Amino acid sequence: MQKIVVSGGARLDGEVRASGAKNAVLPILCATLLADEPVEVGNVPHLHDVVTTARVLGGLGAEVTHDADGSHVVVDPRSVDSHIAPYELVRTMRASVLVLGPLVARHGAAEVALPGGCAIGSRPVDLHIRALEALGARITVEHGFINARAGRLQGGHVAFDMVSVGATENVLMAATLAQGTTVIDNAAREPEIVDLADCLLAMGADIEGAGTSRIVVRGVERLHGARHEVVADRIEAGTFLVAGAITGGRVTVTHARPDTMDAVLERLAAAGADIAIEGDRITADMRGRRPRAVDISTAPHPAFPTDMQAQFMALDCIAEGVATIDETIFENRFMHVNELMRLGAEIHIDGHRATVTGVERLSGAPVMATDLRASASLVLAGLVAEGETVIDRVYHLDRGYEHIERKLSGLGARIRRID
């Protein structure tokens, strides 16, 4: 099993390019199942979850081809001859459930194994199920599978009890081929939802309101082929900006989307970073200063993203002052706390609140990643810890960060991967 070794103490400086967004490319790849012609997707990051999604699509019968560097993927869904997504493919990635809506909308049937993924708390699929049932799908859950059947789906009203990105994506995709109009209330507003809608619009869908809490979808008879470029990954970009800030350095992220990162950039500025935005370039410059402790509270977009909580906790661990971190999205998303404490962090947990007292220094130690963003927080902590930090179970990291050790090395980090 591979590990990452970080030798702390290097101040990061330089430029790094943002990759395509993991949380956008996965639903977009699933959306290609709705088309009756090939769909080309560009700016695709090289991630384990992308490989898994391609295997799921291939297992359904779609023809999936990549260019030489993998950054462009063409999916031809005309050869789809199965509606079953088996457990051996789905078990490692919760996003696999996103084939449910497209399959039942395009082919009238879907059998999708209940998904796995990061162990960061309960993320029930009942929101997905109830939303598709509102469009006329008949769904049962048995023997570990979600079984859905339908004739042509019918437009309906979906009002979510709680905001769910995945359930919004699933019903948004399904509604594009439903007969009549679908109204989705309390819809997720994340930039990745907007990117999915933009791809569906390019395929011929009729959608209004993506990026707001009410999305209106007027069903069409067919979706055709299209070409779409995936939006920049705001979480990866934020992670590299925090890497610069935590080391007192200066990092510029290029090919980014600053308009999707307001909450993160505001908190970085509160920590003492000088933030400069020029087009698609974002620079965070700490000018050698120690960060100030910053309070954060996670909430659905446009508030502070839960996917950046662990990275800011790492920053607060060595910041000047005391910070409180409230996690309101996932109940188990403080699993990185014990590992950060192994490095010398001072953190107290009380329910969904963590209180972090900044220390002058951290000390390298062996640690273990528990989920994707926890992995990133341990890498960040390792950048400022004395000695070596050895991070185990880095397959979590490879699910969401493209060549992270190569990109950090380009900024001056002393980081390597070992077997």
Side-chain angles (χ1 to χ4, degrees):
M1 186 176 293
Q2 292 186 326
K3 301 179 182 182
I4 283 181
V5 180
V6 186
S7 298
R11 181 179 296 177
L12 301 195
D13 183 84
E15 295 186 358
V16 62
R17 177 175 178 144
S19 300
K22 164 192 177 287
N23 290 337
V25 70
L26 303 183
I28 285 170
L29 289 174
C30 294
T32 63
L33 294 171
L34 293 161
D36 58 14
E37 295 174 332
V39 178
E40 181 180 352
V41 184
N43 199 28
V44 176
H46 183 68
L47 303 172
H48 189 268
D49 277 8
V50 171
V51 174
T52 301
T53 302
R55 290 180 63 199
V56 171
L57 297 177
L60 296 170
E63 182 179 332
V64 184
T65 56
H66 307 255
D67 66 356
D69 65 0
S71 64
H72 283 77
V73 175
V74 177
V75 181
D76 188 344
R78 293 175 294 185
S79 54
V80 169
D81 57 3
S82 171
H83 56 263
I84 301 173
Y87 177 68
E88 56 266 25
L89 291 180
V90 171
R91 65 185 176 89
T92 62
M93 187 182 69
R94 293 198 62 86
S96 303
V97 77
L98 294 176
V99 300
L100 183 64
L103 282 175
V104 74
R106 179 82 170 86
H107 299 282
E111 294 182 29
V112 180
L114 290 168
C118 284
I120 58 174
S122 174
R123 292 189 279 184
V125 297
D126 60 316
L127 294 174
H128 300 248
I129 292 171
R130 291 201 300 268
L132 293 173
E133 286 177 335
L135 303 188
R138 303 178 300 278
I139 300 179
T140 59
V141 180
E142 54 188 2
H143 307 301
F145 275 82
I146 307 167
N147 299 290
R149 297 289 185 274
R152 184 177 183 186
L153 295 175
Q154 301 296 308
H157 181 218
V158 177
F160 287 114
D161 296 333
M162 57 181 291
V163 175
S164 167
V165 173
T168 299
E169 291 167 340
N170 235 335
V171 73
L172 171 61
M173 290 187 284
T176 60
L177 292 180
Q179 185 173 30
T181 299
T182 298
V183 176
I184 307 169
D185 278 323
N186 201 24
R189 301 164 59 188
E190 272 69 6
E192 294 79 19
I193 299 284
V194 177
D195 203 39
L196 172 61
D198 286 344
C199 180
L200 292 168
L201 287 166
M203 294 161 61
D206 185 348
I207 302 168
E208 292 181 2
T212 74
S213 59
R214 168 170 280 198
I215 302 176
V216 178
V217 186
R218 300 174 186 86
V220 297
E221 293 295 325
R222 60 178 288 265
L223 295 180
H224 51 69
R227 188 182 188 283
H228 180 77
E229 292 283 319
V230 175
V231 70
D233 195 319
R234 61 196 172 101
I235 305 303
E236 184 205 38
T239 301
F240 286 122
L241 293 173
V242 172
I246 200 173
T247 63
R250 182 181 188 275
V251 167
T252 298
V253 179
T254 70
H255 299 81
R257 279 283 301 273
D259 59 313
T260 68
M261 298 178 60
D262 288 346
V264 168
L265 297 180
E266 187 276 328
R267 290 288 80 193
L268 276 169
D274 294 332
I275 304 296
I277 297 173
E278 184 178 352
D280 65 358
R281 298 166 59 87
I282 309 171
T283 299
D285 189 352
M286 285 299 295
R287 302 182 184 275
R289 300 182 294 250
R290 181 184 179 188
R292 294 191 296 266
V294 287
D295 299 335
I296 63 171
S297 179
T298 65
H301 190 80
F304 191 92
T306 181
D307 280 355
M308 284 298 302
Q309 177 256 106
Q311 297 91 312
F312 268 79
M313 182 179 287
L315 180 79
D316 281 334
C317 285
I318 55 88
E320 184 178 355
V322 179
T324 58
I325 298 176
D326 293 310
E327 175 56 62
T328 72
I329 306 297
F330 295 123
E331 68 270 23
N332 289 343
R333 208 162 202 179
F334 284 151
M335 293 167 62
H336 45 282
V337 167
N338 286 337
E339 302 305 302
L340 289 171
M341 291 174 68
R342 284 178 53 78
L343 302 177
E346 293 187 14
I347 307 171
H348 173 72
I349 300 294
D350 183 9
H352 297 296
R353 168 168 288 188
T355 301
V356 186
T357 302
V359 297
E360 291 282 347
R361 66 181 184 89
L362 298 175
S363 177
V367 290
M368 182 174 65
T370 53
D371 62 72
L372 169 56
R373 305 307 172 184
S375 306
S377 75
L378 298 177
V379 171
L380 295 177
L383 292 174
V384 291
E386 294 182 354
E388 284 192 344
T389 300
V390 181
I391 305 164
D392 202 353
R393 296 176 68 180
V394 296
Y395 56 83
H396 288 295
L397 200 64
D398 296 333
R399 292 183 49 235
Y401 290 93
E402 181 178 42
H403 308 309
I404 189 169
E405 68 271 23
R406 183 188 308 173
K407 289 187 172 185
L408 286 173
S409 293
L411 297 172
R414 296 190 291 264
I415 180 173
R416 68 188 190 276
R417 184 179 295 243
I418 62 173
D419 290 319

